[in-house]
Amino acid sequence: MRKTKGFTFQKIFSLPHKTSLTRPSPFKAYSFVPFSPLAMLDPTILTLGGIVLGIAIIERILERWGVIDLVDQFAKVMRFILPVTLYSALIYFFVNFMF
């Protein structure tokens, strides 16, 4: 039976010890937010939000002018558009900004 001899990593690859240039931080900081809030400033998300906000403002202006029939048509369209836009923006955000 052959006798095997073990080597440690330090004996095989002896690297000169370098001092660290960075100083360790005195405390550990933990963040409860896994992503930066500035990531929401994506142009696509801002454009979608601006379009939806613009339509809502137009609807309120038409309501003040007394054009109720047109306001009802906007409300029917927005009842479908708002959830679709919200879920599309959420999917787009989580696909493009993985954290």
Side-chain angles (χ1 to χ4, degrees):
M1 194 155 127
R2 292 179 66 184
K3 187 175 182 182
T4 58
K5 188 174 183 181
F7 292 102
T8 62
F9 183 78
Q10 286 82 12
K11 285 183 181 179
I12 297 172
F13 299 104
S14 61
L15 298 174
H17 180 68
K18 295 182 180 179
T19 59
S20 176
L21 297 177
T22 60
R23 295 181 183 179
S25 62
F27 61 91
K28 292 183 179 181
Y30 296 99
S31 173
F32 293 106
V33 180
F35 59 90
S36 171
L38 296 177
M40 295 296 287
L41 295 177
D42 183 58
T44 306
I45 293 177
L46 289 177
T47 303
L48 288 174
I51 290 171
V52 170
L53 185 63
I55 291 173
I57 290 172
I58 290 171
E59 184 179 353
R60 293 295 172 202
I61 290 171
L62 289 175
E63 185 179 0
R64 285 189 183 188
W65 287 352
V67 190
I68 302 300
D69 294 335
L70 199 54
V71 172
D72 287 339
Q73 294 298 324
F74 268 107
K76 287 178 186 176
V77 170
M78 292 302 285
R79 198 172 294 144
F80 174 74
I81 295 288
L82 284 175
V84 170
T85 305
L86 173 73
Y87 292 128
S88 300
L90 282 175
I91 290 170
Y92 173 82
F93 179 76
F94 286 119
V95 166
N96 288 323
F97 299 104
M98 296 302 289
F99 43 86

